[in-house]
Amino acid sequence: MSDDDRTVGVVLVSHSAEVAAAVAELARGLTGGGAAVPVAAAGGTEGGGLGTSAELISAAAASVDRGAGVAVLADLGSAVLTVKALLAEGDELPDAARLVDAPFVEGAVAAVVTAAAGGDIDAVEAAAADAYTYRKV
Amino acid sequence: MLDADFFRRWMTATAASVDREADRLTALDSPIGDADHGSNLRRGFTAVTAALGKEAPGTPGAVLVLAGRQLISTVGGASGPLYGTLLRRTGKALGDAAEVDEQRFAEALRAGVDAVMQLGGAAPGDKTMIDALVPAVDALAEGFAAARAAAGQGAEATTPLQARKGRASYLGERSIGHQDPGATSAALLVAALCTADGE
């Protein structure tokens, strides 16, 4: 298996399908031509409304799992709680999936760029979490 | 003793009560939430009754684990993982016993409530479902009717509180004066124990 096949996957869980998809596109666009990172968006409910879908999250996580870990970033309330509940469930997400405590947009960019640079799941998590420290004022 | 059939009746009675009260729950969720609590819970408990009708698990624990799983999958809002965790953790604490006494159920429900507090980070007084569930579990030793009364009082007592969790917390002092929708639906869940018990 090549290194590219072992890239950390990233799942973006938002209350909005558009937000999740756009943040995924933004993060991919900023990787600067590095390795293609498997990024999946799990936004909104299955019906296309605002909210969180456990099924979309499980499917997204399975789709980006290359065996090197899956970093899950979530935006608000039910998105965070649903990911935590799925992790507690045990068999709903890949074994190496973890919820990363990070700001959604900045954390997603940091996670995808770090994964594209070949970082492992710990490095991806650390980079995403570190985005909390980038003060803007 | 409480058997799987009792727990099925509990879930069915909760579903009926959520269905009946969905509009009131959503109305309570309008000033301080995103006005979907009733419809979200109705969708979740409809899925619970459908799943229980299809699978008919044979133990109390399995009934609650299945119900919790349905809620996490189908609700779409924060009440899904919270109620789902409550029921699933309670079910797991009941193990695979074919029948449980009320004391064992009370202990399991307390484990479920503890898991919800851990998941959501809420404590009593934060204006959440916990404000109905904790007094209900405390009163459960005196029977289902006492638990129902305690949960109802707990839900009403959320009105003067300021929300510290969830979307309502963004409103700060403006959350004061509204009964919490989550505590209100939690009181329905507890009250349904009496219905399941034939009271």
Side-chain angles (χ1 to χ4, degrees):
Chain A
M1 199 177 270
S2 75
D3 285 349
D4 285 355
D5 291 328
R6 301 287 288 175
T7 307
V8 173
V10 178
V11 174
L12 302 173
V13 184
S14 170
H15 277 58
S16 151
E18 290 85 355
V19 168
V23 172
E25 189 188 349
L26 170 66
R28 274 196 215 100
L30 295 179
T31 54
V37 175
V39 182
T45 63
E46 282 172 281
L50 296 179
T52 306
S53 160
E55 309 300 327
L56 290 180
I57 296 169
S58 292
S63 78
V64 300
D65 182 18
R66 302 289 183 271
V70 174
V72 183
L73 284 85
D75 62 357
L76 301 164
S78 68
V80 175
L81 294 176
T82 302
V83 174
K84 282 187 177 178
L86 290 174
L87 287 170
E89 187 112 6
D91 54 0
E92 295 293 323
L93 296 176
D95 284 345
R98 56 175 86 163
L99 175 63
V100 169
D101 187 15
F104 194 64
V105 177
E106 295 88 336
V109 171
V112 172
V113 169
T114 304
D120 64 12
I121 181 75
D122 290 331
V124 168
E125 178 174 32
D130 195 45
Y132 270 132
T133 64
Y134 303 158
R135 309 312 311 181
K136 289 162 191 173
V137 177
Chain B
M1 293 293 277
L2 310 169
D3 59 8
D5 205 46
F6 170 84
F7 287 90
R8 251 197 306 279
R9 290 199 304 275
W10 182 27
M11 291 298 102
T12 309
T14 303
S17 157
V18 162
D19 190 51
R20 204 166 46 236
E21 301 283 335
D23 290 346
R24 184 168 74 99
L25 293 175
T26 291
L28 289 173
D29 196 32
S30 300
I32 60 172
D34 41 9
D36 60 5
H37 190 57
S39 48
N40 280 351
L41 270 193
R42 176 192 268 155
R43 181 168 57 246
F45 276 99
T46 300
V48 168
T49 41
L52 288 174
K54 230 183 292 175
E55 281 191 40
T59 65
V63 170
L64 297 185
V65 168
L66 177 65
R69 180 74 194 82
Q70 293 299 317
L71 293 175
I72 293 171
S73 312
T74 58
V75 168
S79 51
L82 292 169
Y83 276 106
T85 294
L86 174 70
L87 296 182
R88 202 184 56 211
R89 199 60 72 90
T90 302
K92 285 190 173 170
L94 290 174
D96 53 8
E99 292 187 327
V100 295
D101 61 20
E102 290 191 18
Q103 191 195 333
R104 175 133 184 227
F105 171 56
E107 288 162 7
L109 190 61
R110 189 176 293 283
V113 173
D114 287 346
V116 172
M117 287 199 273
Q118 200 186 356
L119 178 67
D126 285 346
K127 199 178 178 93
T128 71
M129 61 196 283
I130 293 303
D131 291 318
L133 292 175
V134 166
V137 171
D138 288 343
L140 207 48
E142 298 153 48
F144 292 146
R148 174 178 60 188
Q153 285 158 15
E156 284 172 24
T158 60
T159 302
L161 299 177
Q162 178 171 335
R164 288 195 289 256
K165 287 287 162 188
R167 185 194 173 288
S169 65
Y170 300 142
L171 299 178
E173 289 181 2
R174 279 177 295 149
S175 67
I176 294 171
H178 302 280
Q179 183 169 322
D180 181 62
T184 308
S185 58
L188 296 179
L189 177 80
V190 174
L193 284 169
C194 295
T195 315
D197 200 36
E199 285 179 31

